[in-house]
Amino acid sequence: NGGGSLRVRVTATGEETALAGIMRLVAEAQQSKSRTQILADRAAAWLFYIALGVAAITAVAWLIAVGFDVDVVARVATVLVIACPHALGLAVPLVVAITTSLAARNGILVRDRLALEKAREIDTVIFDKTGTLTEGSFGVVGVETADGWSEQRALALAAAVEGDSEHTIARGIRHAAEERDLALSRVTNFEALKGRGVRATYNGDEVYLGGPRLMEMLDLEPPRALNAFAEQAASKGQTLVYLITSDSPASNGTGEVVAAIALADVIRPESREAVRRLHDMGVEVAMLTGDSEDVARAVAQELGIDLFFAEVLPEHKDEKVRQLQQQGKSVAMVGDGVNDAPALAAADVGMAMGNGTDVAMHAAGITLMRGDPLLVAAALDISDRTVAKIRQNLFWAFFYNAAGIPLAALGYLSPVVAGAAMAMSSVSVMSNALLLKRWKALQ
């Protein structure tokens, strides 16, 4: 910083840092047990008892056949040596340790190993629109007013009403007012109407700002002067909000629509490619949004999305997930906000965008650290490769035992050969698992 001064504020240290949190989640994922791991552990335990049983039968059978002999002891020892379940015990945890670390290096943080295992079964992916498929950064692209209202006055009042809101639409409206150097009025009694808009008091009058669901709640229709503007905005996939006030004599105290504001949410450049790759994998893509049906349809058509749910209230998002599950679909939900948490938890696999809220990331089994929708396809891909490697390892582990134990019991193998075969089974499992290191996230 040259000759200037630099002040740094430390907000977290040690175990409280983001890096420590990522390392902790990776460690938890590696320690947690999936269904396949539990099955392998049980198989290893049964193999131990089977080996003891076969060894006992071998001893009794050979003692009856040839009497006590050094070769009988050697054959029993051979059975016990070749049945050592080392490879079976390594088959699953070694693959999982490699894939969770590899996925983390590529921006895919696995919080729950079961989620990684189930991801390969996904046939439908639901994206939350705002902040996931889109940048989540709205900008005002047009303002249309009713008679008696100027564009500046309407935008200034809208920005004032949105002054205490954290919604991305509110930030876009405030930013537009700031760019035009508009003086903002003082409002009181601010209230966020969940899934509908906001309300505040200005000069003793109620002022509302929101979309179609707010209009429905207030039982209002926009004036004809705004219809053409609204239709044009909808055809372009823009989000439309209405400014409603009761300070006009024509409102009779019930509220009058005095302006319509069109905002555009920029679609992420990676979203279209992400949808295409999911389609190539045979996965259906759906979208959830609280926006109007026209806006949702325009975005869905632009990205090639198969199915969309529009005007969905935050508390109803998980219902849409269950609706698809009831149709027999295996569903993954991708979201970034607090309102997405119930849907992320309800889905077969929840994937949270890393640029989202902590609540969303805790509700999801997988976190996409770069906030890139392309990583959804990468997560499904590494899940498929992980399960494939686990199955291959289990096959080789069982193959050595299934082929070796009968040969050892019949006296065709020596203890030296059995020891070498047992070692080779572990080496083959480890070598096969290490091949996963060649995997890279889809570019």
Side-chain angles (χ1 to χ4, degrees), residues 120-135:
R120 67 178 299 275
E121 302 170 0
I122 295 300
D123 54 33
T124 304
V125 173
I126 304 178
F127 286 95
D128 176 65
K129 182 181 79 71
T130 306
T132 303
L133 292 173
T134 64
E135 297 284 358

Side-chain angles (χ1 to χ4, degrees), residues 315-393:
E315 60 268 27
H316 295 158
K317 287 185 177 181
D318 58 325
E319 294 178 5
K320 300 302 180 183
V321 172
R322 293 190 179 92
Q323 178 180 325
L324 292 178
Q325 289 173 328
Q326 289 170 1
Q327 297 174 13
K329 300 180 184 294
S330 184
V331 180
M333 173 68 192
V334 186
D336 69 331
V338 174
N339 294 330
D340 298 325
L344 290 169
D348 296 283
V349 176
M351 298 187 189
M353 304 295 273
N355 56 348
T357 63
D358 290 342
V359 175
M361 286 186 276
H362 280 289
I366 297 174
T367 298
L368 311 178
M369 296 305 295
R370 293 203 301 271
D372 182 352
L374 276 171
L375 289 179
V376 175
L380 300 186
D381 181 57
I382 196 172
S383 170
D384 188 57
R385 291 173 185 266
T386 298
V387 175
K389 283 296 178 187
I390 288 174
R391 288 177 174 176
Q392 292 168 14
N393 279 357

Side-chain angles (χ1 to χ4, degrees), residues 137-140 167-177 263:
S137 177
F138 283 85
V140 175
H167 198 279
T168 52
I169 289 179
R171 288 197 292 268
I173 292 174
R174 290 199 301 268
H175 181 67
L263 302 99

Side-chain angles (χ1 to χ4, degrees), residues 145-149 225 256 258:
T145 61
D147 293 339
W149 281 76
E256 178 190 12
V258 297

Side-chain angles (χ1 to χ4, degrees), residues 147-192:
D147 293 339
W149 281 76
S150 67
E151 183 177 319
Q152 288 77 9
R153 179 188 173 193
L155 189 58
L157 181 57
V161 172
E162 293 279 25
D164 290 328
S165 175
E166 296 180 354
H167 198 279
T168 52
I169 289 179
R171 288 197 292 268
I173 292 174
R174 290 199 301 268
H175 181 67
E178 290 169 2
E179 284 185 331
R180 305 184 190 193
D181 295 323
L182 300 178
L184 303 187
S185 306
R186 180 176 177 80
V187 299
T188 57
N189 301 326
F190 172 85
E191 180 185 0

